[in-house]
Structures are given as C-alpha cells and as structure tokens.
Amino acid sequence: MLRLVTTFLLCAITVAFAGSKVLHVSTIPNNADIYIDEIRPNHAKNPAYVSPAFIEAADDSLASEILISLFTPGFMDTTLRVRLSPKDTSFIIISQQPILDNEFLERQEAELSKRKRANFGKGLMKISLIPFAASLISGAIAYYEIEQAKDCKKTLQNSAIVTDRYQNTRDDFEDYRDNAKLAKKFTYASLITGAALLSIGFILSF
C-alpha cells in the first residue's frame, strides 16, 4: 500500500513539473502581431500574441515545430516555421525588413482599419448590454408601479365615502400611475438604444 501511494505521488510530481515546450519570440521592432499556424493570416483579425511573447507549443509536449506569422505596419510580412529546442524553452529574435511599396503599405492600413472597425463594433455590442439591463430593471419597476396602481384603483372603487384615507389612496394611485408611465418610457428608450447599439456593432464587426 505504501509503495502504491509513493508511486502515485511521484507520478503526480512528475506531471506537475513536466512543463510544455515554450517559444520566446522577440522582434525588431517590438509589438509585432503574431499569428499561429496560419500561412496567410487575416490581419483584419486580432493576433494570438504581440511580441515579445512566450508561445506555448501544442498540448503535445513532443511538438517539435511552431508556425508563426508576423505582421507589423511598414514592414514585410514574415512567416516561418521554428524548430523547437529539445529543452523546455526556445528563443528566437526576428529582425523585420522595412517596406517602401506604397501599394503594400495601403493594403496594410486597410487591414488595420478593418480590424479597428471590427473591434469597435464588438465594443458596441458589449456596451449594448447596459441599456438592455436597464430596460429589464425599468420594466420590473413599471410592472410593480402598475400593480400598485391597480390595487389603489380597486380600493377607490370599493370606497363609498370620501375620507382622508380615500384622498391619500387617490394621491398614491396618481403617483403610481405617473411612475409607471415614466418607467415604461424609459424601458422603451433603453430597448431601442440597446437594439441600435447591438445592430451597429454587429454590422461593424464583420
């Protein structure tokens, strides 16, 4: 039994400390977009990493290569297959070649503009959750105020004598009714705002 427990502990320790292979990528200049396993990546999409970066190999610790593609405005696109060291961590420094071709530069700028537009659209879609949440809250408030107004109305209809309590109930009825109208307007406005942001964000994100 003791031998079994010892064997289990040794296996657990081995798994815990058996790190997967990692590639450290540095570029000149820094802040290059890094795409993984894509020969011709779509630069309009966000990269997997930005240099300098530590890139973990596939789950298989026996992986021997990583395909990386670099993108930096004003520099040539670079794609290369990096052979990993048998050790845990490999290092590579890539010096990117400047490009002066105006047509190539314009194409890069167009890709970046599309990426920025897509990211802005995704941001709008996330922001649209705020007015949608506000509409749910105001809708719940409107429902509560309407139900309170209904109760007051029933009380007024069942009152045969006009007393101070009758007048107070009437005042409460009017307050609940006005609050319900205001909450309903806010609900509709929030829904329209949320739908507009979601629609615009959806269009821009593609």
Side-chain angles (χ1 to χ4, degrees):
M1 181 65 179
L2 180 60
R3 180 178 298 178
L4 180 62
V5 172
T6 303
T7 303
F8 175 79
L9 290 175
L10 289 175
C11 291
I13 293 173
T14 301
V15 171
F17 287 94
S20 58
K21 293 183 179 180
V22 175
L23 172 65
H24 181 262
V25 179
S26 297
T27 61
I28 303 174
N30 283 330
N31 300 320
D33 294 339
I34 305 175
Y35 297 84
I36 306 300
D37 294 331
E38 295 184 61
I39 297 178
R40 295 180 179 177
N42 182 2
H43 299 145
K45 295 183 178 181
N46 292 321
Y49 301 90
V50 176
S51 68
F54 284 94
I55 301 173
E56 188 172 350
D59 293 339
D60 183 4
S61 61
L62 298 179
S64 60
E65 295 181 340
I66 294 181
L67 179 67
I68 61 174
S69 298
L70 306 180
F71 172 72
T72 303
F75 293 83
M76 286 292 295
D77 297 342
T78 304
T79 298
L80 65 161
R81 192 177 298 276
V82 182
R83 183 172 295 278
L84 300 177
S85 166
K87 300 180 180 180
D88 293 340
T89 304
S90 303
F91 298 88
I92 185 171
I93 301 176
I94 305 170
S95 180
Q96 297 178 272
Q97 180 182 351
I99 185 69
L100 301 178
D101 187 336
N102 288 332
E103 183 178 349
F104 189 87
L105 293 174
E106 290 175 358
R107 187 163 64 250
Q108 286 186 328
E109 289 299 325
E111 290 175 321
L112 283 177
S113 296
K114 187 174 181 181
R115 184 197 300 181
K116 291 177 181 177
R117 186 169 63 250
N119 288 336
F120 180 72
K122 292 175 182 177
L124 288 180
M125 293 173 70
K126 292 179 180 178
I127 293 175
S128 69
L129 296 175
I130 297 175
F132 279 135
S135 68
L136 287 175
I137 295 173
S138 59
I141 293 174
Y143 177 80
Y144 172 80
E145 298 291 340
I146 290 173
E147 291 301 313
Q148 294 299 313
K150 287 180 179 179
D151 291 340
C152 291
K153 187 175 182 180
K154 290 180 181 178
T155 301
L156 293 173
Q157 290 175 344
N158 294 331
S159 299
I161 302 175
V162 177
T163 61
D164 291 341
R165 183 179 178 183
Y166 178 92
Q167 187 60 43
N168 291 336
T169 303
R170 183 175 182 82
D171 292 340
D172 291 340
F173 168 76
E174 294 177 354
D175 290 340
Y176 287 131
R177 183 185 58 187
D178 294 341
N179 291 338
K181 290 180 179 179
L182 183 62
K184 286 174 65 176
K185 290 180 180 179
F186 187 82
T187 300
Y188 294 144
S190 298
L191 281 174
I192 293 173
T193 301
L197 291 174
L198 181 62
S199 300
I200 295 173
F202 183 79
I203 293 172
L204 292 177
S205 63
F206 288 95

